[in-house]
Amino acid sequence: MTNEQLELGACAGCGIKLQTDSADKLGYIPQSALEREPLICQRCFRIKNYNEAASVAIDQDDFLRLLGGIAATDSLVVHIVDLFDFEGSLISGLQRFVGNNPVLLVVNKVDLLPKGINMNRLLNWVQRQAKAQGLRTVDIVLCSAKRSIGFERVVE
C-alpha cells in the first residue's frame, strides 16, 4: 500500500477505500481523476456517467469479515431487499452481525405491483417476514429505485 493510498480516503459514491494501484480491484481511481471533487471510484464513475454497472466479486470470507465488523460500530444499518426475491435478498442471520445497531429495512420494486395493492397489508407482510427471519427493524420503507418513490423516507 502506498502513502498516497492512505491519504485518498473513501469513495463518495460507495464508501470503498480508494486506491490507484490496480484497475481490476475495488476502489480503483485513475491518477487523472484525483483532481476531481468529489472523489469517486471508477465503478461509481461509470454508473453515474454511463449507467454501466460492473459486477463486483467479493468472496464469502471477505463478506463475512465485513459483516462481522458492523456490531463493533455505532451505526444505522440500511438493508435493501428486493420485494420479488425477499428471502433471497435478505441476508441470513443479519441480526447477529449488526448487534445492537438499528436496522432500517428498505424494500425495493413496489412500482411493479398493481395499483390496487393495499400498501398497509404489504407492510404488515414484510414485518411478519422480517420477524420470521429473526430481524429486528426500527422501520420498514417501501420504495422504488426506478421511479424514485419512497426515498424521502429513507433519507429521513
Side-chain angles (χ1 to χ4, degrees):
M1 187 177 289
T2 65
N3 287 338
E4 187 174 331
Q5 273 184 281
L6 295 173
E7 298 170 14
L8 287 178
C11 171
C14 66
I16 192 79
K17 186 172 180 90
L18 293 171
Q19 54 92 8
T20 57
D21 295 334
S22 229
D24 61 332
K25 299 216 168 145
L26 295 176
Y28 176 72
I29 183 170
Q31 292 283 342
S32 59
L34 292 175
E35 300 91 41
R36 297 188 186 127
E37 283 294 326
L39 286 179
I40 59 174
C41 68
Q42 191 170 53
R43 180 176 181 273
C44 289
F45 179 84
R46 287 181 175 157
I47 290 170
K48 179 180 175 188
N49 294 295
Y50 303 111
N51 200 23
E52 174 188 305
S55 64
V56 175
I58 183 168
D59 69 17
Q60 187 173 4
D61 292 336
D62 288 340
F63 183 65
L64 291 174
R65 197 171 11 268
L66 285 170
L67 280 179
I70 295 173
T73 66
D74 182 20
S75 307
L76 170 65
V77 177
V78 179
H79 186 26
I80 303 171
V81 295
D82 183 327
L83 177 61
F84 293 94
D85 186 21
F86 188 84
E87 289 182 4
S89 57
L90 193 66
I91 297 173
S92 179
L94 180 66
Q95 195 64 53
R96 74 171 186 255
F97 292 110
V98 300
N100 292 326
N101 288 317
V103 176
L104 173 65
L105 187 60
V106 178
V107 182
N108 189 28
K109 295 190 181 176
V110 297
D111 62 308
L112 298 178
L113 294 169
K115 301 240 184 278
I117 290 290
N118 182 327
M119 288 299 175
N120 286 329
R121 287 186 69 194
L122 177 61
L123 187 60
N124 290 336
W125 178 84
V126 170
Q127 288 171 333
R128 285 192 309 274
Q129 295 301 312
K131 187 176 181 181
Q133 296 291 329
L135 188 60
R136 294 185 309 269
T137 60
V138 292
D139 200 2
I140 296 172
V141 178
L142 303 174
C143 69
S144 166
K146 186 174 184 177
R147 304 214 192 258
S148 297
I149 298 169
F151 279 98
E152 316 79 44
R153 279 207 53 225
V154 173
V155 173
E156 281 176 24

